Amino acid sequence: MLIRSLAYVGLTTRDLAGWESFAGEVLGLPADRAGDRLLLRMDERIYRFDLRQGEREELAWLGWEVASAADLAEVERSLTAAGLPVHRADDAECADRRLIGMISVRDPAGVRHEIGYGQEADFRPLRLTRPLSGYLTGGFGMGHAVIGVKEYDETLAFLVDGLGFRISDTFGGFIAFLHCNPRHHSIALVHTDEPGLRHIMLETTGLDDVGATIDVCLSRGIVTRTLGRHTNDRAVSFYLSTPSGWEIEYGWGGIEVDSADHSARQLVGPTSLWGHQHLVDNEIRSS
């Protein structure tokens, strides 16, 4: 499996100022604002969130990491052999993403996937803007992304056959959870007539961080789903609304998978063991 992790996400928003305050006051993430661009850090990587001023609130790209130039070339050969149009980034594009090398390709749903290596890093201690123990990143990447797509079967085949992801679980024939490292899933697909980014999951290194952050979010009225535990990855988490309207899942304690031993499972029953009830105006709403 050549793709190692979800390295970064690119997003457009009409409200960079709102994102800057949200990142620092809610998520504890230091921000670097330069004109119409806002970079958010979670760890030693120079950024994990790349927000650009735009007309719509939407996902612009997903950035996947490989280990080397040789691995990048191998992914490019595999995608080209499959008949997919691959774009090789020039020096200016790589400099914009703070990478040594990068290619990009669009999946059947139109989502742009960037695959690169050599992302800039600053290994001096990072000071988060709220008292948090930190985020689980490193070889696990920045977290996971859940994407709604109309072209579910075709996009799933692209991720598995084109990019080399492995299926962790499926649910109801319309959700697939896929991994590329020990994190239970780095991407999940949801079959829907309303495509787009559903949520990005950030995992902390301590349960108390989840408790402290849900208190902050409750005080702001931005909790969208209560504290709960998912059936498949066992993460304890809650959901909150971002300034762009899509959600962040904020959690701790997800299980790890071993690709050599893991068999894909088909889940039945609810997606949560308990909790994750929907909130509207701080009132619980039936799912």
Side-chain angles (χ1 to χ4, degrees), residues 44-97:
E44 78 281 350
R45 299 300 178 94
I46 208 68
Y47 72 91
R48 293 292 192 174
F49 288 89
D50 183 349
L51 291 123
R52 314 284 179 112
Q53 187 75 39
E55 294 301 316
R56 292 185 290 183
E57 309 290 339
E58 64 181 7
L59 175 69
W61 55 77
L62 296 171
W64 304 102
E65 181 171 76
V66 295
S68 64
D71 284 355
L72 184 63
E74 181 60 31
V75 173
E76 183 176 13
R77 282 193 293 270
S78 175
L79 292 170
T80 301
L84 295 168
V86 178
H87 170 72
R88 175 166 281 276
D90 59 22
D91 290 344
E93 290 173 295
C94 290
D96 180 80
R97 300 298 197 270

Side-chain angles (χ1 to χ4, degrees), residues 208-286:
D208 287 342
D209 292 337
V210 178
T213 302
I214 198 172
D215 284 348
V216 171
C217 294
L218 284 169
S219 71
R220 290 169 171 255
I222 59 173
V223 175
T224 56
R225 281 184 268 180
T226 63
L227 194 68
R229 189 165 210 166
H230 283 302
T231 56
N232 56 350
D233 69 1
R234 301 293 166 132
V236 176
S237 64
F238 72 97
Y239 291 73
L240 61 137
S241 180
T242 68
S244 293
W246 49 265
E247 295 175 308
I248 283 178
E249 180 187 2
Y250 200 91
W252 166 86
I255 63 171
E256 297 180 18
V257 296
D258 182 345
S259 289
D261 296 328
H262 184 77
S263 297
R265 304 169 299 182
Q266 183 176 211
L267 306 177
V268 296
T271 57
S272 297
L273 293 170
W274 52 268
H276 290 145
Q277 297 182 74
H278 289 263
L279 290 178
V280 176
D281 297 328
N282 284 335
E283 297 284 340
I284 292 177
R285 181 185 67 183
S286 299

Side-chain angles (χ1 to χ4, degrees), residues 4-210:
R4 298 290 187 89
S5 66
L6 179 61
Y8 58 88
V9 294
L11 304 150
T12 60
T13 180
R14 293 184 292 270
D15 188 12
L16 278 184
W19 263 99
E20 187 170 7
S21 60
F22 169 81
E25 296 167 13
V26 176
L27 303 179
L29 303 184
D32 179 12
R33 175 81 178 267
D36 289 341
R37 186 182 188 185
L38 180 70
L39 300 180
L40 305 180
R41 289 186 63 182
M42 296 175 62
D43 55 11
E44 78 281 350
R45 299 300 178 94
I46 208 68
Y47 72 91
R48 293 292 192 174
F49 288 89
D50 183 349
L51 291 123
R52 314 284 179 112
Q53 187 75 39
E55 294 301 316
R56 292 185 290 183
E57 309 290 339
E58 64 181 7
L59 175 69
W61 55 77
L62 296 171
W64 304 102
E65 181 171 76
V66 295
S68 64
D71 284 355
L72 184 63
E74 181 60 31
V75 173
E76 183 176 13
R77 282 193 293 270
S78 175
L79 292 170
T80 301
L84 295 168
V86 178
H87 170 72
R88 175 166 281 276
D90 59 22
D91 290 344
E93 290 173 295
C94 290
D96 180 80
R97 300 298 197 270
R98 312 287 184 89
L99 297 168
I100 295 174
M102 184 186 86
I103 61 172
S104 64
V105 63
R106 290 192 181 274
D107 67 26
V111 177
R112 177 183 170 98
H113 297 263
E114 300 183 350
I115 303 99
Y117 75 99
Q119 187 181 22
E120 287 183 7
D122 182 346
F123 290 95
R124 292 171 293 183
L126 176 67
R127 180 173 294 178
L128 297 174
T129 58
R130 282 185 48 234
L132 299 167
S133 62
Y135 290 97
L136 181 64
T137 56
F140 292 82
M142 67 173 288
H144 75 236
V146 176
I147 313 295
V149 297
K150 292 183 178 179
E151 301 81 357
Y152 176 82
D153 291 334
E154 300 89 340
T155 306
L156 181 57
F158 164 84
L159 291 172
V160 173
D161 300 330
L163 294 184
F165 283 87
R166 297 186 181 181
I167 295 174
S168 300
D169 307 309
T170 61
F171 179 82
F174 64 92
I175 305 177
F177 304 86
L178 303 101
H179 67 271
C180 59
N181 59 51
R183 194 185 291 278
H184 177 271
H185 56 287
S186 291
I187 187 169
L189 297 180
V190 179
H191 189 197
T192 178
D193 289 331
E194 298 179 358
L197 178 63
R198 295 297 188 87
H199 73 254
I200 292 172
M201 193 271 191
L202 305 182
E203 187 170 357
T204 66
T205 58
L207 180 58
D208 287 342
D209 292 337
V210 178

